[in-house]
Amino acid sequence: MIVVMSPTATKTQISYAQDRMREFGLEPHLIVGAERTIVAGVGKEKPGLMVHLEILEGVEKVLPVVAPYKMASLESSPSPTVIKVRDFQAGGDRIGVMAGPCSVESREQLLDLARLVRKVGATALRGGAFKPRTSPYSFQGLKEKGLEILAEAREETGLAIVTEVMAPELVGLVAKYADILQIGARNMQNYPLLEAAGESGLPVLLKRGPSATMDEFLLAAEYVLKTGNNQVMLCERGIRTFEDHTRFTLPLASVPYLKQKTHLPVVVDPSHGTGKTSLVPSMTRAAVAAGADALMLEIHQNPEAAWSDGYQALNPAQFLQTMESTAVIAKAMGRDLG
Ligand code: PEP
Ligand code: MN
């Protein structure tokens, strides 16, 4: 159940509406917007609540929410959520670009790429310090050293840092260095991790699990939202299908679908979504045409020598060309890229 308070509602009226919700068995969560406050009630309510709420002073309207993801649903917050961190923005008139290597490999590698990312016009730097690798024998990341290097890159360039956190007990450490916490595809349903990331108060980039349905994806986001952190971005990064011409199958219909269901910004990662450098530029442009609010791209100075995911990384020249051609599509969509 969603209670939309009127723009002039007082604090007392809002807390009175929350009290009534509790009385009827719902847990109220506040969504404070620029213009008005929304109270989302989660749980199983006793009958009769709707009429009680509708007549309260300061209440504009009351809406039942049919979607299982109460706080993520568009019904709970009809205006799109825009996430801003430093110069990075996902949603609204801007399509934010997060670019960088799959893994932080060394100080020189990362600082060099950070400068390139800045010059070419992206506003966030990605780079894994804790890497979820299929094989335990593959490079696992530079861990805290990698985080220190990322923070140094932010210091120099001003780019927002997005990096993955793999376990609840690491959230405190990663949050000391990062601006945005990435929850990887393999961890989309790690509920204690989602809650811990939510509680950090930092924006969360949630990647879709390769076999998760849209409802499961949105319910995972709900775990973060329920902590009171409404800064969640949903990232389509490809799913597992029978296809083997690409590493994963990138279903771009999930972009307009999600935008019909949720107010949260939608991000596309064409690098993991295809797993092939040659397919990344086209799918980047297609993602923007489909309505993506932000992009995540893997780049590397020398993809052949990358310590992870080199086969899907763009080299500097390819990154520049991709950004230039994608900016044209963004313009056609009435938005700016970067
Ligand atoms: C990554 O971004 O490098 C990564 C590991 O992504 P995913 O969790 O989508 O596989
Ligand atoms: Mn990767």
Side-chain angles (χ1 to χ4, degrees), residues 101-103 126 131 207 247 269 271-272 298 308-309 312:
C102 178
S103 305
R126 64 144 289 144
K131 293 303 302 175
K207 293 190 119 187
R247 182 181 179 197
D269 171 354
S271 305
H272 292 86
E298 286 191 344
S308 58
D309 288 358
Q312 66 193 30

Side-chain angles (χ1 to χ4, degrees), residues 77-89:
S77 187
S79 51
T81 292
V82 177
I83 294 182
K84 291 185 189 165
V85 195
R86 294 178 168 259
D87 293 337
F88 172 83
Q89 179 178 322

Side-chain angles (χ1 to χ4, degrees), residues 104-121:
V104 179
E105 296 170 10
S106 70
R107 187 170 172 271
E108 294 61 44
Q109 172 241 17
L110 193 82
L111 291 180
D112 182 41
L113 279 177
R115 290 175 197 129
L116 174 86
V117 163
R118 189 40 127 189
K119 197 162 125 227
V120 174

